[in-house]
Amino acid sequence: MTNPAIRWHAFLADLRREVAAARASGATLALLLVEVREFHGLNLRHGFNDVEGVMRQILSRLAEPLKKATAINRTGPNRLALILPELAVPELLPVAAQKLFTQLAAPYPVGGGELVISPGMGLALFPDHGNSAEALLAEAEHALGIARDMAIPFAIPRKAGAQQRLQAERMAQDLEKAVADDSLTLHYQPQVDLATLQPAGAEALMRWAPSIDNPVSPDHFIPLAETSGKIQGLTEWALNTAMRETMELDPDGALSVSVNVSASSLYDPNLVLAVESGLAIWGLPPRRLTLEITEGALMKNPALCFEHLARLRALGVRVAIDDFGTGFSSLAYFKTIPADEVKIDQAFVRHMATDDQDARIVQLVIDLAHAFGLKVVAEGVESGEALARLGDLHCDFAQGFYLTRPLDYPGYRRWLADFDPTRLNP
């Protein structure tokens, strides 16, 4: 199988070339990102070979109606990217997208039976939504995220006018100022050790409210930070704040803190230096810091990712794979990745107390992770029954609204002081 990094770079080169051609000719170009949702669950339920066969059938179904596509690339285990140049009637793109969804959602013959997938699409147009390959890709990724979050077939971003671009530029400047002024905050999502039912630490989540009544969602300002080149400063702020507040809260204890690291930060060679510097400044033992990365970030360039993760772990820092189960497809990666824990995606945890299929998937992930020496964190625990079931399955840690919603720093301190494990009984 072709190296994912090679596929990704080949696709990006195709996109840049087609955008340049469209700019020169004044044509409209469309970028379509297609995602097979719950891909890891499909692999567990139906087997890798059958799901790979379905991916080949998806390619075939796309190729026929999209004969004018200059490139149909598989950019990840559950991702396809299509470039459609010289659109004669861009206004018909939503109609075409709906037809594509209908074709892709139809059952696939597999091993004498049928397999049904849940596809999602993000679409973006040049020059309406972006004036470069990178901007177009960012808009299509954002649209794909909207389609995923809203559980709709596809999404297309609104046309970015001059006023919207100006607002985005101003917000990026405000965000940079917020980092410089230390006016961002961290909220903490506590985690409990399921063996002892005692607090083990928390995941640090960034929050930004330019004014009291005007909070900005992380789903908005973090992608903005990435596209505007501000993400490294944001990551360094989060790392330093999380380490400082954890040491203030528990200077001689064992509470850990997890900080999310975006794909662009992960591949930045300065990340290792930033982590090393923060540990030295705040005196946090490296074993108490966990860096969370997503499977998507891992798959973009596994070789470089593994190199940076190995350097981080050499410092004594822990690494966690976030949203596990939403895109990971290769046991080869699983056995070699420099990581210490996996976080099972809440989509599998939320209903596991009442859904035996989800419970079996959770158990498989736990057993597999433990076989490779990895700890397991279950996200999205929303009931005492789910917590008890996770304990029975020997999951290591849990977090979710059943324990508490994310808390600001003073709230987290109070939660720790008032914590009573007897309240966790189902």
Side-chain angles (χ1 to χ4, degrees):
M1 183 181 291
T2 307
N3 187 306
I6 295 174
R7 294 200 306 264
W8 176 258
H9 288 303
F11 154 68
L12 195 54
D14 287 341
L15 183 58
R16 285 171 176 159
R17 182 170 55 252
E18 292 298 335
V19 165
R23 182 181 293 113
S25 65
T28 298
L29 173 147
L31 172 63
L32 284 74
L33 300 182
V34 180
E35 176 182 77
V36 178
R37 297 164 180 162
E38 299 183 0
F39 187 74
H40 186 65
L42 289 174
N43 273 328
L44 289 174
R45 291 187 182 101
H46 300 280
F48 178 79
N49 289 334
D50 281 351
V51 176
E52 282 299 296
V54 168
M55 291 300 294
R56 289 191 291 272
Q57 292 182 59
I58 291 173
L59 282 169
S60 177
R61 290 188 186 185
L62 288 170
E64 179 59 29
L66 299 177
K67 293 178 180 178
K68 292 185 177 180
T70 56
I72 301 179
N73 297 274
R74 187 171 179 184
T75 57
N78 67 327
R79 289 281 196 92
L80 300 168
L82 301 87
I83 305 170
L84 299 172
E86 299 181 359
L87 289 186
V89 187
E91 292 78 10
L92 293 179
L93 189 59
V95 177
Q98 184 60 54
K99 289 182 178 179
L100 279 179
F101 173 80
T102 301
Q103 286 182 288
L104 296 180
Y108 293 82
V110 171
E114 289 185 338
L115 188 154
V116 177
I117 67 168
S118 177
M121 290 182 286
L123 301 89
L125 291 170
F126 169 88
D128 290 0
H129 303 132
N131 200 40
S132 68
E134 288 76 9
L136 199 63
L137 180 58
E139 288 297 322
E141 286 279 5
H142 180 61
L144 184 61
I146 292 173
R148 183 190 309 117
D149 294 342
M150 297 182 67
I152 57 178
F154 64 89
I156 303 175
R158 294 179 180 177
K159 183 175 180 179
Q163 184 63 30
Q164 289 173 297
R165 286 193 292 270
L166 181 60
Q167 288 175 349
E169 290 171 5
R170 286 175 177 169
M171 184 172 286
Q173 293 171 356
D174 290 344
L175 181 58
E176 185 174 30
K177 186 174 184 296
V179 173
D181 295 345
D182 198 26
S183 59
L184 296 158
T185 59
L186 287 180
H187 282 207
Y188 293 90
Q189 177 82 70
Q191 298 174 348
V192 165
D193 186 325
L194 289 173
T196 63
L197 288 184
Q198 292 297 319
E203 178 183 356
L205 304 166
M206 277 186 282
R207 297 292 185 262
W208 180 34
S211 61
I212 294 176
D213 59 347
N214 185 33
V216 182
S217 169
D219 291 338
H220 190 183
F221 72 76
I222 290 177
L224 176 66
E226 291 190 290
T227 57
S228 61
K230 316 293 185 187
I231 192 64
Q232 187 61 28
L234 204 62
T235 301
E236 291 182 11
W237 176 88
L239 285 166
N240 281 280
T241 303
M243 286 190 258
R244 172 175 57 80
E245 292 186 341
T246 300
M247 286 300 289
E248 289 175 359
L249 189 66
D250 190 27
D252 302 315
L255 283 180
S256 65
V257 65
S258 301
V259 178
N260 291 280
V261 176
S262 70
S264 52
S265 291
L266 177 63
Y267 293 111
D268 189 325
N270 293 320
L271 176 64
V272 178
L273 181 61
V275 171
E276 189 173 23
S277 175
L279 292 170
I281 291 171
W282 305 112
L284 183 75
R287 69 180 182 280
R288 294 176 59 187
L289 175 65
T290 299
L291 302 181
E292 294 190 13
I293 65 170
T294 64
E295 295 184 54
L298 167 69
M299 298 303 290
K300 285 185 177 179
N301 188 336
L304 183 58
C305 176
F306 282 24
E307 177 186 338
H308 285 188
L309 292 181
R311 291 173 61 194
L312 288 164
R313 293 182 77 227
L315 299 176
V317 170
R318 295 175 60 81
V319 172
I321 308 301
D322 197 10
D323 296 336
F324 187 83
T326 59
F328 215 97
S329 65
S330 173
L331 289 179
Y333 287 124
F334 193 88
K335 73 177 183 180
T336 59
I337 183 174
D340 302 277
E341 67 183 42
V342 296
K343 301 188 74 175
I344 305 177
D345 187 74
Q346 59 184 327
F348 298 106
V349 176
R350 186 178 293 118
H351 304 295
M352 62 171 291
T354 56
D355 188 322
D356 289 339
Q357 192 83 330
D358 281 345
R360 281 194 288 270
I361 291 174
V362 170
Q363 182 172 16
L364 281 170
V365 174
I366 292 171
D367 292 345
L368 186 61
H370 286 171
F372 285 99
L374 301 174
K375 298 290 186 180
V376 181
V377 181
E379 298 184 286
V381 178
E382 297 183 355
S383 69
E385 290 79 5
L387 190 76
R389 190 85 180 262
L390 287 165
D392 292 340
L393 296 177
H394 305 293
C395 185
D396 300 291
F397 305 99
Q399 69 179 70
F401 287 179
Y402 178 69
L403 303 176
T404 180
R405 291 177 178 271
L407 304 164
D408 61 13
Y409 179 64
Y412 180 36
R413 181 187 290 275
R414 289 192 297 271
W415 182 85
L416 288 168
D418 297 339
F419 182 79
D420 180 359
T422 63
R423 298 176 185 171
L424 301 182
N425 291 330

